[in-house]
Amino acid sequence: MNRMSLAAIMLPTRKLLPAVCIGMLGLTSSHAVIYDIDPTHTNVRFAIDHFNTSTNTGGFYNLTGQLDYNAAAKTGNISLVIPLNSLNTGDKGFDIALKSADFFDVKQFPLAQFESTKWYFSTDDSGSNVSKIDGMLTLHGKTNPVTLTATKFNCYLNPILKKPVCGGDFTTTIDRTKWGISKYTLLGITSEVQLNIQIEAAKR
């Protein structure tokens, strides 16, 4: 085979290689990156009106779960496991009361779970960003839909872990009676509970 024939064969291949490489890069970038929830920077804090005089607050800690996120493709998924026995209000007596069968019934329902069903993105000066997340909250043996509104969300290279980290703050208000927790609603303690969720996850 002469040089001209060889060049004729190689020319289409050379033209094809960049297209193949670009296609492979596109395929890779379309995949969501997996992040593991950091229990030390992830929590759920609640606030509930107390007879219209003050606000009772507390939180759940040491959450676990997984975040799948792709900013370029505007896709995401998150699953959270909330250990209810981690409840802390700063008052041990109040903690015991809330863990009892009158409220969270931790012995029968030790865990709560959140699974996202849809992510929403807004476009601002910094580009595409998470605006809210729809999902299903399982608590006290019941599952109902909730929407978490993002007050901020960001990804960065963590200088300590030396790996990408994503996270943000979210808020929502739920009606606790939908999850079968209705104690003292007739006496004046509201059924509405505000939840503030802090999420942070590191790339696997």
Side-chain angles (χ1 to χ4, degrees), residues 80-82 111-115 136-139:
L80 293 174
V81 178
I82 307 163
L111 300 174
Q113 291 180 291
F114 176 80
E115 295 281 346
M136 304 299 292
L137 175 63
T138 300
L139 172 68

Side-chain angles (χ1 to χ4, degrees), residues 173-194:
T173 299
I174 65 171
D175 179 350
R176 62 188 174 99
T177 62
K178 291 183 177 180
W179 284 268
I181 305 175
S182 56
K183 189 73 172 180
Y184 298 138
T185 53
L186 296 178
L187 297 180
I189 296 183
T190 180
S191 61
E192 291 190 344
V193 181
Q194 181 179 343

Side-chain angles (χ1 to χ4, degrees), residues 36 57 61 65 114 129 136 139 171 173 181 183 196-197:
D36 292 316
T57 62
Y61 303 91
F114 176 80
N129 204 356
M136 304 299 292
L139 172 68
T171 185
T173 299
I181 305 175
K183 189 73 172 180
N196 294 300
I197 301 101

Side-chain angles (χ1 to χ4, degrees), residues 88-96:
N88 187 350
T89 64
D91 181 335
K92 290 184 178 180
F94 191 32
D95 292 349
I96 292 172

Side-chain angles (χ1 to χ4, degrees), residues 115-134:
E115 295 281 346
S116 67
T117 55
K118 185 175 181 178
W119 284 49
Y120 298 83
F121 293 79
S122 62
T123 301
D124 53 28
D125 293 339
S126 62
S128 177
N129 204 356
V130 180
S131 58
K132 63 179 181 178
I133 299 175
D134 289 341

Side-chain angles (χ1 to χ4, degrees), residues 151-171:
T151 57
K152 62 180 177 180
F153 189 89
N154 186 45
C155 295
Y156 71 104
L157 181 62
N158 187 293
I160 299 174
L161 298 177
K162 293 181 172 52
K163 61 173 64 177
V165 168
C166 290
D169 291 341
F170 298 83
T171 185

